[in-house]
């Protein structure tokens, strides 16, 4: 009997929950994880070999063969494929698109990749056996070079140049004597030169944290590193990274924002000047991203810094993962595979038996809950690392008794004036970009709305435009009310531009710098602004949360907060959690060095318990009160949720689909299935949106339900609608 033909199961970027079978002559099990080119309908697609089998459910005579197998990049490892399989199961998203989304774009194209090579030199056995006596007596350069190369590794020219600028001539001679060989290897990642730093003495609390986490190397453990702003979490990371590198491991560090990576890369390069560091984020050019991905995948880059997508980086010697600012919402991917990178990191740590450290001054309530119930190990840093740096005093300005003028109260203006006189910086935090969140007619109540979204248009006075922040629609500013003809339209509320104007009016001499997504849109402008702030070239900063995250501005001693109250009456049950985190974070910018800091919050509710706890810097107290509220209301983390979303041109179409989905739900006890409803933002970019919420007290029950439900959902007719499932949704 002839042996059955080998069949490869291929992951393709096709949104159906199955793999595709192809004949696989000449392909072996070692090739699992490699990319292939296959015919698909009239097109050709790139996919990844997931498995090899001999009995397909399809007639082998009808299967088409794999057209090409790419051996230019390392195969996706068993570990990574296992992680991707898990994510596909857990988030109920098809495996093919899950796998393909983990690859950098360059590896998703149907052509081989070009790898940049560079010369490197390596000592031969003869070279390794050289003694100092074999070198000329007065040749410090040669000695330095020999020392550098004694590890027997291949060293790139750039690395040798660090030991000896005249290395070229020397290695050439050594090659001719048979002491060294020249080879080609992938070029080192491009990096600007840095000056090495000297690690500071750890504080006792940092020391304890480093020791406790270091004992967990080689096994899975999740740590929640809760450290107040300025407590020196970064220094803890640096020491842990050093420990992991010493063991020969690779480290993955996830950060919330692309904006933070250059700064952090600088810190890590100064500490580990000889270690190759890869960065991975969506703002990188395709070729650059590929080079960094490969450096990580081949184990050359020992440290990988990146945003959420880096959680799927291939890391053959992964020894430690760190998620900085783990509470940050940017770790959530909101389309395609909807995942939370922090949770995926924890799962990956479990699968690969390595420790994972989640760091934050204001952990996500879910993480805090996990630390309280023992799933995570809590480590606290309760003091600022720099001995005389105090936490800022937080004061509330009651806007009922003292009305702000053009957004800023008398007391806040006075405080800013005071800092100006003292040559210190102030920051005014406004959580809205643009001039004003609305353009209104106070005669009839009309306000400018987006025709394509259920949202108001934001007035951008600088650009003379009304803009929708949800769909990007823009239109010119109208000058008369379309409803009643009134020509006296007024802005309603305050955005960064308007506060900037108020500041300019009050402080015409001051150097005022606005930092928001509009003013930092150009490449590098934010980096340039940070430099200017550091050099003291700005007196007053006005900006959104861009300013709140992770930056260290030593001259900043005052933070003013405008408009915080709106979160207190938001329908989103996570709004207060976010507000507290944001205020802690932005407040943490004040007085980081030896200068004491002050935070002034304008509010109508100075007695609100959120502000009271904030004044005491009491995250734990706030978390306890929120957890109690969530427990009694039956909200996460006490229930686990998933949301089925549907989008269509007409709301009825979307709701109809969800009603059918509701009827198709398997009957499982412990599941609460709500009725289909409009999304809180019912229309976005011309599309009507509806949703169906399902929840359960246990993750396991929810997953069992979703397993059964999804099969039925794929079988439903879904004409003219798009649907997706969001597991552990951040917003409903
Ligand atoms: P966090 O990330 O916890 O807010 P950082 O890591 O930014 O805090 O540290 C705050 C400041 O303290 C930084 O300026 C840092 O250089 C400094 N620092 C951290 N650890 C030490 C230490 N052990 N000794 C002296 N300074 C330290
Ligand atoms: Zn009107
Ligand atoms: Zn819109």
């Amino acid at each position: 009997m002839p042996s059955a033909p080998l069949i490869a199961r291929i992951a393709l970027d096709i949104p159906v929950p199955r793999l595709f079978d192809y004949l696989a002559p000449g392909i072996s099990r070692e090739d699992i994880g490699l990319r292939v080119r296959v015919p698909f309908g009239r097109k050709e697609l790139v996919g990844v070999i997931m498995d090899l089998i001999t009995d397909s459910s399809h007639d082998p005579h009808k299967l088409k063969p794999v057209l090409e197998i790419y051996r230019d990049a390392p195969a996706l490892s068993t570990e990574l494929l296992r992680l991707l399989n898990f994510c596909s199961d857990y988030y109920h998203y098809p495996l093919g698109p899950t796998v393909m989304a983990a690859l950098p774009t360059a590896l998703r194209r149907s052509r081989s990749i070009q790898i940049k090579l560079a010369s490197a030199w390596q000592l031969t056995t003869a070279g390794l056996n050289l003694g100092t006596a074999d070198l000329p007596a007065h040749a410090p350069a040669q000695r330095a070079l020999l020392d550098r190369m004694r590890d027997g590794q291949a060293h790139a020219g750039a690395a040798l140049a660090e030991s000896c600028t005249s290395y070229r001539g020397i290695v050439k001679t050594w090659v001719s004597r048979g002491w060294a060989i020249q080879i080609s290897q992938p070029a080192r990642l491009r990096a600007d030169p840095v000056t090495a730093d000297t690690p500071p003495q750890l504080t006792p609390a940092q020391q304890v944290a480093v020791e406790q986490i270091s004992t967990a190397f080689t096994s899975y453990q999740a740590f929640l590193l809760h450290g107040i702003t300025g407590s020196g979490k970064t220094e803890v990371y640096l020491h842990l990274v050093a420990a992991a590198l010493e063991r020969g491991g690779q480290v993955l560090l996830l950060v919330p924002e692309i904006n933070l990576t250059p700064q952090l890369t600088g810190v890590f390069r100064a500490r580990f000047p000889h270690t190759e560091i890869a960065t991975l984020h969506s703002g990188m050019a395709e070729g650059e991203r590929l080079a960094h991905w490969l450096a990580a995948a081949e184990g050359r880059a020992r440290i990988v810094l990146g945003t959420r997508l880096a959680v799927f980086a291939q890391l053959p010697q992964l020894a430690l993962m760190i998620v900085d600012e783990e509470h940050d919402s940017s770790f959530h991917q909101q389309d395609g595979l909807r995942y939370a990178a922090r949770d995926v990191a924890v799962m990956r740590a479990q699968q690969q038996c390595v420790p994972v450290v989640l760091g934050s001054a204001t952990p996500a309530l879910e993480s805090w809950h996990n630390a309280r119930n023992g799933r995570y190990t809590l480590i606290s840093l309760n003091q600022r690392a720099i001995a005389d740096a105090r936490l800022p005093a937080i004061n509330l300005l009651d806007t009922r008794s003292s009305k702000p003028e053009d957004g800023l109260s008398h007391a806040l203006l006075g405080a800013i004036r005071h800092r100006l006189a003292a040559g210190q910086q102030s920051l005014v935090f406004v959580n809205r970009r643009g001039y004003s969140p609305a353009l209104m007619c106070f005669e009839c109540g009309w306000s400018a709305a987006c025709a394509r979204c259920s949202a108001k248009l934001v007035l951008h006075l600088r650009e003379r435009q009304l803009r929708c922040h949800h769909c990007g629609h823009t239109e010119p500013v109208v000058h008369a009310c379309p409803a009643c003809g009134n020509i006296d339209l007024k802005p309603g509320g305050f955005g960064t531009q308007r506060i900037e104007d108020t500041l300019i009016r009050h402080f015409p001499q001051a150097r005022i710098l606005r930092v928001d997504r509009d003013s930092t849109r150009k490449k590098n402008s934010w980096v340039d602004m940070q430099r200017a702030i550091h050099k003291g070239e700005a007196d007053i900063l006005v900006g959104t949360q861009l300013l709140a995250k992770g930056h260290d501005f030593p001259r900043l001693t005052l933070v003013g907060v405008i408009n915080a109250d709106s979160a207190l009456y938001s329908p989103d049950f996570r709004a207060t959690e976010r507000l507290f985190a944001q205020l802690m974070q932005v407040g943490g910018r004040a007085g980081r060095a030896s200068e004491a800091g002050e935070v002034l919050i304008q509010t109508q509710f100075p007695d609100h318990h959120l502000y009271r706890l904030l004044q005491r810097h009491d995250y734990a107290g706030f978390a306890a009160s929120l957890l109690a509220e969530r427990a009694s209301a039956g909200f996460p983390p006490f229930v686990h949720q998933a949301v089925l979303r549907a989008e269509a041109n007409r709301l009825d179409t979307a709701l109809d689909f969800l009603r059918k989905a509701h009827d198709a739900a398997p009957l499982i006890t412990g599941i609460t299935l709500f009725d289909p409803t409009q999304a809180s933002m019912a229309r976005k970019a011309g599309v009507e949106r509806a949703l169906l919420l399902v929840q359960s007290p246990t993750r396991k029950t929810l997953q069992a339900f979703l397993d059964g439900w999804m099969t039925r959902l794929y079988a439903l007719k879904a004409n003219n609608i798009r649907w997706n499932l969001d597991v552990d949704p951040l917003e409903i």
Side-chain angles (χ1 to χ4, degrees):
M1 205 172 88
S3 64
L6 264 189
I7 292 156
R9 316 215 65 202
I10 309 291
L12 294 176
D13 191 8
I14 301 288
V16 289
R18 51 170 284 220
L19 297 172
F20 294 85
D21 292 357
Y22 288 87
L23 295 174
I27 293 180
S28 71
R29 290 204 75 79
E30 276 82 79
D31 298 328
I32 290 177
L34 283 176
R35 284 140 50 241
V36 290
R37 184 161 56 86
V38 295
F40 189 87
R42 282 190 217 157
K43 288 186 297 187
E44 289 181 6
L45 295 177
V46 170
V48 171
I49 308 173
M50 301 299 287
D51 201 1
L52 278 182
I53 51 171
T54 46
D55 54 338
S56 168
S57 52
H58 302 276
D59 178 359
H61 298 292
K62 292 200 179 134
L63 291 180
K64 292 178 189 159
V66 166
L67 298 173
E68 185 179 1
I69 177 159
Y70 297 102
R71 299 180 189 279
D72 49 2
L76 298 186
S77 64
T78 319
E79 287 92 25
L80 187 57
L81 291 178
R82 188 151 72 112
L83 179 69
L84 293 167
N85 259 300
F86 166 82
C87 288
S88 166
D89 287 346
Y90 183 81
Y91 293 112
H92 298 271
Y93 191 68
L95 182 57
T98 302
V99 170
M100 295 312 286
L103 293 178
T105 325
L107 294 180
R108 282 182 248 159
R109 299 196 187 283
S110 50
R111 60 174 126 92
S112 317
I113 51 170
Q114 302 291 322
I115 297 168
K116 253 221 286 260
L117 295 174
S119 288
W121 288 268
Q122 190 170 16
L123 291 182
T124 57
T125 317
L128 285 167
N129 287 333
L130 288 178
T132 0
D134 298 311
L135 296 177
H138 296 291
Q142 295 195 30
R143 271 151 218 262
L145 208 56
L146 191 65
D147 279 344
R148 184 70 189 260
M149 293 175 70
R150 265 201 208 285
D151 59 5
Q153 304 291 315
H155 292 265
L160 294 181
E162 287 170 16
S163 304
C164 167
T165 46
S166 56
Y167 77 94
R168 273 186 183 281
I170 302 174
V171 286
K172 210 172 145 199
T173 317
W174 290 2
V175 169
S176 69
R177 289 190 188 153
W179 294 352
I181 51 162
Q182 182 176 353
I183 56 173
S184 271
Q185 65 176 27
R188 247 182 109 85
L189 300 173
R190 226 165 48 95
D192 303 327
V194 281
T195 30
D197 75 347
T198 330
Q201 185 79 32
L202 290 182
T203 65
Q206 286 173 325
Q207 186 71 41
V208 169
V210 170
E211 274 165 21
Q212 197 178 347
I213 298 167
S214 302
T215 58
F217 277 121
T218 72
S219 63
Y220 163 73
Q221 201 172 339
F223 296 92
L224 180 61
L225 180 64
H226 173 226
I228 60 168
T229 52
S231 59
K233 292 185 287 294
T234 313
E235 200 51 54
V236 172
Y237 303 154
L238 287 164
H239 276 74
L240 291 172
V241 170
L245 294 181
E246 225 160 81
R247 312 173 62 93
Q250 282 177 297
V251 181
L252 174 64
L253 174 69
L254 299 180
V255 293
E257 286 237 16
I258 297 174
N259 283 321
L260 293 178
T261 54
Q263 208 181 353
L264 205 64
T265 313
V267 172
F268 274 75
R269 295 209 43 238
R271 185 62 56 86
F272 306 104
H274 302 306
T275 306
E276 202 157 354
I277 299 179
T279 47
L280 289 171
H281 59 72
S282 58
M284 294 166 78
E286 190 175 313
E288 206 189 351
R289 172 127 161 244
L290 174 67
H292 284 248
W293 191 89
L294 287 172
E298 289 164 0
R300 283 178 282 127
R302 313 304 293 174
I303 302 174
V304 178
L305 300 177
T307 52
R308 61 174 182 256
L309 57 89
V311 77
F312 296 115
Q314 173 140 316
L315 298 154
Q317 278 109 36
L318 180 64
L320 169 70
M321 276 183 287
I322 299 169
V323 185
D324 190 26
E325 308 288 359
E326 64 88 34
H327 64 279
D328 199 279
S329 60
S330 75
F331 286 122
H332 287 251
Q333 166 85 21
Q334 307 276 22
D335 55 35
L337 172 71
R338 292 169 168 77
Y339 66 94
R342 178 230 303 144
D343 300 340
V344 174
V346 171
M347 181 41 63
R348 187 171 185 177
Q350 232 166 74
Q351 288 188 340
Q352 295 193 233
C353 294
V354 298
V356 57
V357 179
L358 313 178
S360 176
T362 49
L365 214 51
E366 279 81 1
S367 302
W368 188 252
H369 184 58
N370 280 332
R372 309 240 40 114
N373 67 25
R375 289 173 44 127
Y376 299 169
T377 306
L378 179 65
I379 299 179
S380 299
L381 303 175
N382 294 324
Q383 233 110 56
R384 286 195 153 183
I386 296 174
D388 49 359
R390 302 264 161 278
L391 281 174
I394 297 178
N395 294 311
L396 302 168
L397 303 177
D398 190 339
T399 53
R400 291 166 309 180
S401 53
S402 160
K403 277 226 170 317
E405 266 176 57
D406 292 327
L408 298 177
S409 68
H410 194 69
L412 182 52
L413 288 168
I416 295 172
R417 186 166 297 116
H418 198 78
R419 307 293 146 143
L420 273 175
Q424 297 168 359
Q425 282 171 336
S426 307
L427 184 167
V428 180
F429 177 66
V430 191
N431 213 357
R432 265 261 164 63
R433 66 196 165 88
Y435 185 83
S436 156
L439 180 64
M440 302 186 58
C441 169
F442 285 90
E443 290 292 320
C444 75
W446 172 89
S447 64
C450 178
R452 308 169 67 215
C453 304
S454 3
K456 299 225 181 310
L457 290 173
V458 177
L459 176 61
H460 283 244
L461 216 51
R462 297 277 185 292
E463 299 84 358
R464 310 220 132 271
Q465 273 180 341
L466 292 168
R467 291 187 179 173
C468 176
H469 285 189
H470 300 281
C471 72
H473 165 81
T474 62
E475 55 186 72
V477 177
V478 286
H479 292 288
C481 172
C484 74
N486 172 22
I487 51 161
D488 192 18
L489 299 181
K490 291 208 168 75
F494 293 87
T496 46
Q497 292 183 354
R498 192 170 180 191
I499 295 296
E500 183 188 17
D501 279 2
T502 308
L503 289 166
I504 291 171
R505 237 176 299 122
H506 282 275
F507 307 108
Q509 256 77 49
R511 295 163 302 174
I512 297 171
L513 186 64
R514 177 165 58 87
V515 182
D516 56 28
R517 262 206 285 143
D518 298 314
S519 72
T520 59
R521 202 166 296 258
K522 281 208 211 81
K523 204 176 175 203
N524 287 336
S525 50
W526 180 211
V527 177
D528 293 342
M529 285 184 191
Q530 285 176 60
R531 204 167 296 135
I533 299 170
H534 268 275
K535 283 201 260 169
E537 289 167 4
D539 303 310
I540 307 175
L541 316 176
V542 45
T544 55
Q545 56 177 342
L546 258 189
L547 271 174
K549 285 182 186 171
H551 307 289
D552 205 351
F553 301 132
R555 291 165 209 256
L556 183 74
T557 56
L558 173 70
V559 171
V561 179
I562 312 286
N563 285 345
D565 287 346
S566 56
L568 299 177
Y569 31 81
S570 162
D572 181 353
F573 69 86
R574 285 195 175 88
T576 49
E577 178 185 350
R578 269 199 303 271
L579 175 64
F580 191 87
Q582 221 165 47
L583 294 181
M584 283 280 258
Q585 205 159 40
V586 72
R589 302 305 113 210
R592 308 235 326 155
S594 51
E595 223 46 78
E598 184 181 18
V599 180
L600 294 174
I601 301 173
Q602 294 187 173
T603 172
Q604 295 187 47
F605 309 104
D607 296 319
H608 197 286
H609 77 284
L610 182 147
Y611 292 129
R612 291 288 169 218
L613 289 159
L614 188 72
Q615 282 187 299
R616 297 206 297 266
H617 304 280
D618 187 0
Y619 168 82
F622 181 66
S625 77
L626 270 192
L627 280 173
E629 267 174 34
R630 299 260 185 104
S632 70
F635 282 138
F638 300 95
V639 296
H640 300 276
Q641 299 181 322
V643 172
L644 180 65
R645 301 182 202 278
E647 300 183 347
N649 288 338
R650 297 187 42 230
L651 183 61
D652 273 349
T653 318
L655 285 171
D656 266 352
F657 173 80
L658 293 179
R659 278 184 213 110
K660 278 189 279 172
H662 192 283
D663 295 341
L667 286 176
I668 292 185
T669 48
I671 288 287
T672 310
L673 192 60
F674 291 84
D675 287 328
T677 79
Q678 277 188 12
S680 62
M681 193 178 177
R683 185 159 16 93
K684 187 171 175 181
V687 178
E688 304 290 337
R689 295 140 38 101
L691 59 83
L692 173 51
L693 172 66
V694 51
Q695 65 183 38
S696 165
T698 75
R699 212 183 277 285
K700 216 169 142 209
T701 311
L702 181 64
Q703 284 293 328
F705 169 83
L706 294 176
D707 282 341
W709 199 30
M710 286 309 276
T711 323
R712 299 182 190 184
L713 290 182
Y714 277 110
L716 285 182
K717 261 213 205 66
N719 294 337
N720 305 321
I721 70 135
R722 289 203 319 202
W723 61 269
N724 64 70
L725 186 77
D726 193 355
V727 178
D728 305 330
L730 193 60
E731 274 169 275
I732 293 165

